[in-house]
Short mmCIF file of all heavy atoms in Angstrom, two decimals:
data_model
loop_
_atom_site.label_atom_id
_atom_site.label_comp_id
_atom_site.label_asym_id
_atom_site.label_seq_id
_atom_site.Cartn_x
_atom_site.Cartn_y
_atom_site.Cartn_z
N GLN A 1 70.15 -27.03 -75.20
CA GLN A 1 69.79 -28.26 -74.48
C GLN A 1 68.37 -28.20 -73.94
O GLN A 1 67.62 -29.18 -74.05
CB GLN A 1 70.77 -28.51 -73.33
CG GLN A 1 70.42 -29.73 -72.49
CD GLN A 1 71.45 -30.02 -71.41
OE1 GLN A 1 72.64 -29.82 -71.62
NE2 GLN A 1 71.00 -30.46 -70.23
N VAL A 2 67.98 -27.09 -73.34
CA VAL A 2 66.64 -26.97 -72.77
C VAL A 2 65.58 -27.15 -73.85
O VAL A 2 64.60 -27.88 -73.65
CB VAL A 2 66.47 -25.62 -72.05
CG1 VAL A 2 65.02 -25.44 -71.60
CG2 VAL A 2 67.40 -25.53 -70.84
N ASP A 3 65.78 -26.48 -74.99
CA ASP A 3 64.82 -26.63 -76.08
C ASP A 3 64.74 -28.08 -76.55
O ASP A 3 63.66 -28.58 -76.89
CB ASP A 3 65.23 -25.75 -77.27
CG ASP A 3 65.11 -24.26 -76.95
OD1 ASP A 3 64.32 -23.91 -76.05
OD2 ASP A 3 65.81 -23.46 -77.60
N TYR A 4 65.88 -28.73 -76.56
CA TYR A 4 65.94 -30.12 -77.05
C TYR A 4 65.16 -31.06 -76.14
O TYR A 4 64.32 -31.84 -76.61
CB TYR A 4 67.40 -30.56 -77.12
CG TYR A 4 67.61 -31.98 -77.58
CD1 TYR A 4 67.45 -32.34 -78.92
CD2 TYR A 4 67.97 -32.98 -76.67
CE1 TYR A 4 67.64 -33.65 -79.34
CE2 TYR A 4 68.17 -34.28 -77.08
CZ TYR A 4 68.00 -34.61 -78.41
OH TYR A 4 68.21 -35.91 -78.82
N VAL A 5 65.40 -31.00 -74.81
CA VAL A 5 64.74 -31.95 -73.91
C VAL A 5 63.25 -31.65 -73.76
O VAL A 5 62.46 -32.54 -73.45
CB VAL A 5 65.43 -32.00 -72.52
CG1 VAL A 5 66.87 -32.44 -72.65
CG2 VAL A 5 65.32 -30.67 -71.79
N LEU A 6 62.87 -30.40 -73.99
CA LEU A 6 61.46 -30.02 -73.87
C LEU A 6 60.71 -30.08 -75.19
O LEU A 6 59.57 -29.62 -75.29
CB LEU A 6 61.33 -28.62 -73.26
CG LEU A 6 61.80 -28.49 -71.81
CD1 LEU A 6 61.61 -27.06 -71.31
CD2 LEU A 6 61.06 -29.46 -70.89
N SER A 7 61.33 -30.69 -76.20
CA SER A 7 60.66 -30.89 -77.48
C SER A 7 60.34 -32.37 -77.65
O SER A 7 60.85 -33.22 -76.93
CB SER A 7 61.53 -30.40 -78.64
OG SER A 7 62.74 -31.13 -78.70
N GLY A 8 59.49 -32.65 -78.63
CA GLY A 8 59.08 -34.03 -78.86
C GLY A 8 60.16 -34.83 -79.58
O GLY A 8 61.15 -34.28 -80.08
N PHE A 9 59.96 -36.12 -79.61
CA PHE A 9 60.90 -36.98 -80.33
C PHE A 9 60.79 -36.73 -81.83
O PHE A 9 59.74 -36.34 -82.35
CB PHE A 9 60.61 -38.45 -80.01
CG PHE A 9 60.98 -38.85 -78.62
CD1 PHE A 9 60.05 -38.76 -77.58
CD2 PHE A 9 62.26 -39.29 -78.32
CE1 PHE A 9 60.39 -39.13 -76.28
CE2 PHE A 9 62.62 -39.66 -77.03
CZ PHE A 9 61.68 -39.57 -76.01
N ASP A 10 61.91 -36.93 -82.53
CA ASP A 10 61.94 -36.71 -83.97
C ASP A 10 61.06 -37.73 -84.69
O ASP A 10 60.84 -38.85 -84.18
CB ASP A 10 63.38 -36.83 -84.49
CG ASP A 10 64.27 -35.70 -83.99
OD1 ASP A 10 63.72 -34.64 -83.61
OD2 ASP A 10 65.50 -35.88 -83.99
N PRO A 11 60.58 -37.37 -85.89
CA PRO A 11 59.71 -38.29 -86.64
C PRO A 11 60.34 -39.66 -86.87
O PRO A 11 59.64 -40.68 -86.85
CB PRO A 11 59.47 -37.56 -87.96
CG PRO A 11 59.59 -36.11 -87.60
CD PRO A 11 60.66 -36.05 -86.55
N ASP A 12 61.66 -39.69 -87.09
CA ASP A 12 62.31 -40.99 -87.34
C ASP A 12 62.53 -41.78 -86.05
O ASP A 12 62.86 -42.97 -86.10
CB ASP A 12 63.63 -40.79 -88.08
CG ASP A 12 64.65 -39.98 -87.28
OD1 ASP A 12 64.22 -39.15 -86.45
OD2 ASP A 12 65.86 -40.17 -87.48
N GLU A 13 62.34 -41.14 -84.89
CA GLU A 13 62.48 -41.83 -83.61
C GLU A 13 61.15 -42.42 -83.13
O GLU A 13 61.13 -43.44 -82.44
CB GLU A 13 63.01 -40.88 -82.54
CG GLU A 13 64.42 -40.37 -82.79
CD GLU A 13 64.85 -39.31 -81.79
OE1 GLU A 13 63.97 -38.57 -81.29
OE2 GLU A 13 66.06 -39.20 -81.54
N LYS A 14 60.05 -41.76 -83.47
CA LYS A 14 58.75 -42.15 -82.92
C LYS A 14 58.36 -43.60 -83.19
O LYS A 14 57.78 -44.25 -82.30
CB LYS A 14 57.67 -41.20 -83.45
CG LYS A 14 57.77 -39.81 -82.84
CD LYS A 14 56.68 -38.89 -83.36
CE LYS A 14 56.78 -37.51 -82.74
NZ LYS A 14 55.74 -36.57 -83.25
N PRO A 15 58.66 -44.18 -84.38
CA PRO A 15 58.28 -45.59 -84.58
C PRO A 15 58.95 -46.55 -83.61
O PRO A 15 58.43 -47.64 -83.35
CB PRO A 15 58.73 -45.85 -86.03
CG PRO A 15 58.72 -44.52 -86.69
CD PRO A 15 59.17 -43.57 -85.62
N ASP A 16 60.12 -46.17 -83.08
CA ASP A 16 60.85 -47.05 -82.17
C ASP A 16 60.43 -46.89 -80.71
O ASP A 16 60.80 -47.72 -79.87
CB ASP A 16 62.36 -46.79 -82.27
CG ASP A 16 62.92 -47.16 -83.63
OD1 ASP A 16 62.42 -48.14 -84.22
OD2 ASP A 16 63.85 -46.47 -84.10
N LEU A 17 59.68 -45.84 -80.41
CA LEU A 17 59.31 -45.57 -79.02
C LEU A 17 58.53 -46.71 -78.35
O LEU A 17 58.86 -47.10 -77.21
CB LEU A 17 58.51 -44.27 -78.92
CG LEU A 17 59.28 -42.98 -78.69
CD1 LEU A 17 58.32 -41.79 -78.65
CD2 LEU A 17 60.10 -43.05 -77.40
N PRO A 18 57.50 -47.26 -78.99
CA PRO A 18 56.74 -48.34 -78.30
C PRO A 18 57.62 -49.51 -77.90
O PRO A 18 57.49 -50.03 -76.78
CB PRO A 18 55.70 -48.74 -79.35
CG PRO A 18 55.51 -47.52 -80.19
CD PRO A 18 56.87 -46.90 -80.28
N GLY A 19 58.54 -49.93 -78.77
CA GLY A 19 59.41 -51.04 -78.43
C GLY A 19 60.37 -50.72 -77.30
O GLY A 19 60.65 -51.56 -76.45
N LEU A 20 60.86 -49.48 -77.27
CA LEU A 20 61.77 -49.07 -76.21
C LEU A 20 61.04 -48.94 -74.87
O LEU A 20 61.60 -49.26 -73.82
CB LEU A 20 62.44 -47.75 -76.58
CG LEU A 20 63.42 -47.82 -77.76
CD1 LEU A 20 63.83 -46.43 -78.20
CD2 LEU A 20 64.66 -48.63 -77.37
N ILE A 21 59.81 -48.48 -74.92
CA ILE A 21 59.01 -48.42 -73.69
C ILE A 21 58.70 -49.83 -73.21
O ILE A 21 58.74 -50.11 -72.00
CB ILE A 21 57.73 -47.60 -73.92
CG1 ILE A 21 58.09 -46.11 -74.12
CG2 ILE A 21 56.76 -47.75 -72.75
CD1 ILE A 21 56.92 -45.22 -74.48
N ASP A 22 58.41 -50.76 -74.14
CA ASP A 22 58.22 -52.17 -73.77
C ASP A 22 59.45 -52.70 -73.04
O ASP A 22 59.33 -53.38 -72.01
CB ASP A 22 57.96 -53.02 -75.01
CG ASP A 22 56.58 -52.83 -75.59
OD1 ASP A 22 55.72 -52.23 -74.91
OD2 ASP A 22 56.35 -53.27 -76.73
N ARG A 23 60.62 -52.42 -73.59
CA ARG A 23 61.87 -52.89 -72.97
C ARG A 23 62.05 -52.26 -71.59
O ARG A 23 62.48 -52.93 -70.64
CB ARG A 23 63.05 -52.55 -73.87
CG ARG A 23 64.40 -53.06 -73.35
CD ARG A 23 65.51 -52.77 -74.36
NE ARG A 23 66.80 -53.25 -73.89
CZ ARG A 23 67.23 -54.49 -73.99
NH1 ARG A 23 66.45 -55.41 -74.56
NH2 ARG A 23 68.43 -54.85 -73.55
N SER A 24 61.72 -51.00 -71.46
CA SER A 24 61.82 -50.32 -70.18
C SER A 24 60.93 -50.98 -69.13
O SER A 24 61.33 -51.17 -67.97
CB SER A 24 61.45 -48.84 -70.33
OG SER A 24 62.30 -48.19 -71.25
N ILE A 25 59.73 -51.34 -69.53
CA ILE A 25 58.80 -51.99 -68.61
C ILE A 25 59.32 -53.37 -68.19
O ILE A 25 59.24 -53.75 -67.02
CB ILE A 25 57.40 -52.09 -69.24
CG1 ILE A 25 56.78 -50.69 -69.32
CG2 ILE A 25 56.50 -53.05 -68.47
CD1 ILE A 25 55.49 -50.62 -70.07
N GLU A 26 59.90 -54.10 -69.12
CA GLU A 26 60.50 -55.38 -68.78
C GLU A 26 61.61 -55.20 -67.74
O GLU A 26 61.77 -56.02 -66.82
CB GLU A 26 61.07 -56.05 -70.02
CG GLU A 26 60.02 -56.58 -71.00
CD GLU A 26 60.66 -57.20 -72.22
OE1 GLU A 26 61.88 -57.46 -72.19
OE2 GLU A 26 59.95 -57.43 -73.20
N MET A 27 62.37 -54.12 -67.88
CA MET A 27 63.46 -53.85 -66.94
C MET A 27 62.94 -53.46 -65.56
O MET A 27 63.49 -53.85 -64.54
CB MET A 27 64.38 -52.76 -67.52
CG MET A 27 65.12 -53.22 -68.77
SD MET A 27 66.03 -51.91 -69.60
CE MET A 27 67.41 -51.69 -68.47
N VAL A 28 61.86 -52.69 -65.53
CA VAL A 28 61.24 -52.34 -64.25
C VAL A 28 60.74 -53.61 -63.55
O VAL A 28 60.99 -53.82 -62.35
CB VAL A 28 60.07 -51.36 -64.45
CG1 VAL A 28 59.31 -51.15 -63.14
CG2 VAL A 28 60.58 -50.02 -64.98
N GLN A 29 60.06 -54.46 -64.29
CA GLN A 29 59.54 -55.70 -63.72
C GLN A 29 60.67 -56.60 -63.24
O GLN A 29 60.56 -57.24 -62.19
CB GLN A 29 58.68 -56.41 -64.76
CG GLN A 29 57.40 -55.67 -65.10
CD GLN A 29 56.66 -56.27 -66.29
OE1 GLN A 29 57.27 -56.97 -67.12
NE2 GLN A 29 55.37 -56.02 -66.39
N SER A 30 61.75 -56.65 -63.99
CA SER A 30 62.91 -57.44 -63.59
C SER A 30 63.55 -56.89 -62.32
O SER A 30 63.92 -57.64 -61.41
CB SER A 30 63.94 -57.48 -64.72
OG SER A 30 65.09 -58.21 -64.35
N PHE A 31 63.68 -55.58 -62.24
CA PHE A 31 64.24 -54.94 -61.04
C PHE A 31 63.44 -55.31 -59.81
O PHE A 31 64.01 -55.64 -58.75
CB PHE A 31 64.25 -53.43 -61.23
CG PHE A 31 64.68 -52.65 -60.01
CD1 PHE A 31 66.02 -52.44 -59.74
CD2 PHE A 31 63.74 -52.12 -59.14
CE1 PHE A 31 66.43 -51.73 -58.61
CE2 PHE A 31 64.12 -51.41 -58.01
CZ PHE A 31 65.48 -51.22 -57.75
N VAL A 32 62.13 -55.28 -59.94
CA VAL A 32 61.25 -55.58 -58.81
C VAL A 32 61.33 -57.05 -58.42
O VAL A 32 61.31 -57.40 -57.23
CB VAL A 32 59.79 -55.18 -59.16
CG1 VAL A 32 58.81 -55.75 -58.15
CG2 VAL A 32 59.66 -53.67 -59.25
N SER A 33 61.44 -57.94 -59.41
CA SER A 33 61.36 -59.38 -59.11
C SER A 33 62.70 -60.02 -58.79
O SER A 33 62.77 -60.92 -57.94
CB SER A 33 60.69 -60.12 -60.28
OG SER A 33 61.41 -59.91 -61.48
N VAL A 34 63.80 -59.56 -59.45
CA VAL A 34 65.09 -60.23 -59.22
C VAL A 34 66.20 -59.29 -58.79
O VAL A 34 67.31 -59.74 -58.49
CB VAL A 34 65.54 -61.03 -60.47
CG1 VAL A 34 64.51 -62.07 -60.84
CG2 VAL A 34 65.82 -60.10 -61.64
N GLY A 35 65.95 -57.98 -58.78
CA GLY A 35 66.95 -57.03 -58.30
C GLY A 35 67.81 -56.43 -59.39
O GLY A 35 67.75 -56.83 -60.56
N PRO A 36 68.64 -55.44 -59.03
CA PRO A 36 69.40 -54.69 -60.03
C PRO A 36 70.50 -55.47 -60.73
O PRO A 36 70.71 -55.31 -61.93
CB PRO A 36 69.98 -53.52 -59.23
CG PRO A 36 70.00 -54.00 -57.81
CD PRO A 36 68.82 -54.90 -57.68
N GLU A 37 71.21 -56.32 -60.01
CA GLU A 37 72.37 -57.00 -60.60
C GLU A 37 71.97 -57.92 -61.74
O GLU A 37 72.54 -57.86 -62.85
CB GLU A 37 73.14 -57.77 -59.53
CG GLU A 37 73.70 -56.91 -58.42
CD GLU A 37 74.67 -55.85 -58.93
OE1 GLU A 37 75.35 -56.10 -59.94
OE2 GLU A 37 74.72 -54.76 -58.32
N LEU A 38 70.99 -58.78 -61.51
CA LEU A 38 70.53 -59.69 -62.56
C LEU A 38 69.86 -58.93 -63.70
O LEU A 38 69.98 -59.31 -64.86
CB LEU A 38 69.57 -60.73 -61.98
CG LEU A 38 70.20 -61.81 -61.09
CD1 LEU A 38 69.13 -62.73 -60.52
CD2 LEU A 38 71.24 -62.62 -61.87
N THR A 39 69.20 -57.84 -63.35
CA THR A 39 68.58 -57.02 -64.40
C THR A 39 69.63 -56.40 -65.30
O THR A 39 69.49 -56.39 -66.53
CB THR A 39 67.71 -55.92 -63.76
OG1 THR A 39 66.68 -56.53 -62.97
CG2 THR A 39 67.05 -55.05 -64.85
N MET A 40 70.69 -55.88 -64.73
CA MET A 40 71.78 -55.30 -65.54
C MET A 40 72.45 -56.36 -66.40
O MET A 40 72.78 -56.11 -67.56
CB MET A 40 72.79 -54.61 -64.63
CG MET A 40 72.29 -53.32 -64.00
SD MET A 40 73.60 -52.40 -63.15
CE MET A 40 73.97 -53.52 -61.80
N THR A 41 72.65 -57.54 -65.84
CA THR A 41 73.27 -58.62 -66.59
C THR A 41 72.44 -58.98 -67.82
O THR A 41 72.97 -59.22 -68.90
CB THR A 41 73.44 -59.87 -65.71
OG1 THR A 41 74.29 -59.55 -64.61
CG2 THR A 41 74.05 -61.03 -66.49
N ARG A 42 71.14 -58.99 -67.64
CA ARG A 42 70.26 -59.39 -68.73
C ARG A 42 70.05 -58.28 -69.77
O ARG A 42 70.03 -58.54 -70.97
CB ARG A 42 68.90 -59.82 -68.17
CG ARG A 42 67.91 -60.22 -69.23
CD ARG A 42 66.56 -60.59 -68.65
NE ARG A 42 65.60 -60.88 -69.69
CZ ARG A 42 64.30 -61.05 -69.50
NH1 ARG A 42 63.80 -61.01 -68.27
NH2 ARG A 42 63.49 -61.30 -70.51
N PHE A 43 69.92 -57.05 -69.30
CA PHE A 43 69.47 -55.98 -70.20
C PHE A 43 70.54 -54.97 -70.61
O PHE A 43 70.40 -54.33 -71.65
CB PHE A 43 68.29 -55.22 -69.57
CG PHE A 43 67.03 -56.01 -69.48
CD1 PHE A 43 66.66 -56.64 -68.31
CD2 PHE A 43 66.18 -56.12 -70.57
CE1 PHE A 43 65.49 -57.37 -68.21
CE2 PHE A 43 65.00 -56.83 -70.49
CZ PHE A 43 64.65 -57.46 -69.31
N ASN A 44 71.56 -54.78 -69.79
CA ASN A 44 72.57 -53.75 -70.12
C ASN A 44 73.59 -54.28 -71.12
O ASN A 44 74.73 -54.58 -70.77
CB ASN A 44 73.29 -53.27 -68.84
CG ASN A 44 72.43 -52.37 -67.99
OD1 ASN A 44 71.25 -52.18 -68.24
ND2 ASN A 44 73.01 -51.79 -66.97
#
């Protein structure tokens, strides 16, 4: 487990990282502006 979490993402995962980080940022912004409940409803 330690080796796994301290290693980089797999080559087949890296193309999806920018989109997932974009989604994460949208969730952070939603949390700040409308709170956790509405954010979970929209994104979870």
Side-chain angles (χ1 to χ4, degrees):
Q1 177 176 324
V2 173
D3 293 336
Y4 178 75
V5 299
L6 294 181
S7 62
F9 289 91
D10 293 338
D12 62 332
E13 295 174 331
K14 289 181 180 179
D16 294 326
L17 269 179
L20 292 169
I21 291 175
D22 286 347
R23 183 176 180 82
S24 301
I25 289 173
E26 289 179 14
M27 293 172 73
V28 172
Q29 293 171 338
S30 178
F31 174 84
V32 168
S33 58
V34 301
E37 299 300 329
L38 288 177
T39 300
M40 289 189 293
T41 299
R42 179 182 176 190
F43 290 98
N44 285 8

